[in-house]
């Protein structure tokens, strides 16, 4: 059985990041986490593959969540991306990557799980064409 690919969580607020990670782990996902855009870009650069990206938009100094997602999509063109934000939702259509979703904080656990699951389901046919799996 092959290992599950991780979802990268990028959130600068430690309590929110811990809650996001706990939700995803409880949902059966493998998770990697970062607290800022520079660390996220470094993790993306060294990753061989990712299952998805969940990122806050405002990440303090350095690259913001928009930049992190664009960087990730250059390496992984079909990567599911969910943005979470308190106040930047209005910029999503101009700044967000195509075929992404945005959740406005505060959001319910079910909203997050539905968002990532729907994007993963949409990406699955494309990903299986890129790299067939074997049992």
């Amino acid at each position: 059985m092959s290992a599950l690919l991780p979802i990268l969580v990028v959130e600068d607020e430690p309590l929110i990041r811990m809650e996001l990670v706990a939700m995803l782990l409880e949902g059966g996902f493998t998770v990697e986490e970062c607290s800022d855009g520079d660390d996220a870009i470094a993790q993306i650069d060294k990753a061989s593959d990712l299952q998805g990206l969940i990122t806050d938009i405002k990440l303090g100094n350095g690259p913001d969540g928009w930049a992190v997602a664009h960087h990730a999509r250059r390496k992984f063109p079909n990567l599911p991306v969910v943005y979470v934000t308190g106040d930047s939702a209005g910029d999503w259509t101009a700044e967000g990557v195509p075929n992404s979703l945005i959740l406005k904080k505060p959001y319910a656990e079910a909203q997050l799980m539905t968002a990532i699951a729907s994007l993963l389901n949409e990406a699955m046919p494309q990903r299986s064409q890129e790299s067939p799996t074997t049992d």
Side-chain angles (χ1 to χ4, degrees):
M1 182 175 172
S2 62
L4 294 175
L5 297 174
I7 292 179
L8 180 60
V9 172
V10 188
E11 171 61 64
D12 62 330
E13 295 291 332
L15 293 177
I16 296 172
R17 186 174 63 250
M18 286 175 25
E19 187 175 310
L20 265 170
V21 168
M23 279 186 229
L24 292 165
L25 290 172
E26 191 174 301
F29 293 100
T30 301
V31 181
E32 291 185 14
E33 57 184 288
C34 298
S35 61
D36 63 51
D38 287 324
D39 285 345
I41 287 174
Q43 280 205 11
I44 291 163
D45 286 345
K46 72 178 182 180
S48 59
D49 205 354
L50 290 172
Q51 185 173 15
L53 171 67
I54 299 174
T55 184
D56 189 8
I57 304 222
K58 293 184 179 178
L59 298 170
N61 295 331
D64 61 14
W66 306 124
V68 169
H70 282 279
H71 184 82
R73 279 285 184 85
R74 282 191 289 278
K75 184 167 183 181
F76 306 112
N78 298 314
L79 184 71
V81 174
V82 176
Y83 297 101
V84 291
T85 185
D87 60 3
S88 299
D91 299 328
W92 177 49
T93 54
E95 300 289 339
V97 296
N99 302 316
S100 61
L101 294 173
I102 193 161
L103 295 177
K104 192 161 168 58
K105 295 175 185 174
Y107 49 84
E109 180 177 345
Q111 288 176 293
L112 175 70
M113 298 309 280
T114 299
I116 195 67
S118 66
L119 286 176
L120 288 170
N121 286 337
E122 288 175 22
M124 196 173 302
Q126 296 166 346
R127 291 181 69 88
S128 63
Q129 289 173 4
E130 291 172 3
S131 55
T133 58
T134 57
D135 290 330

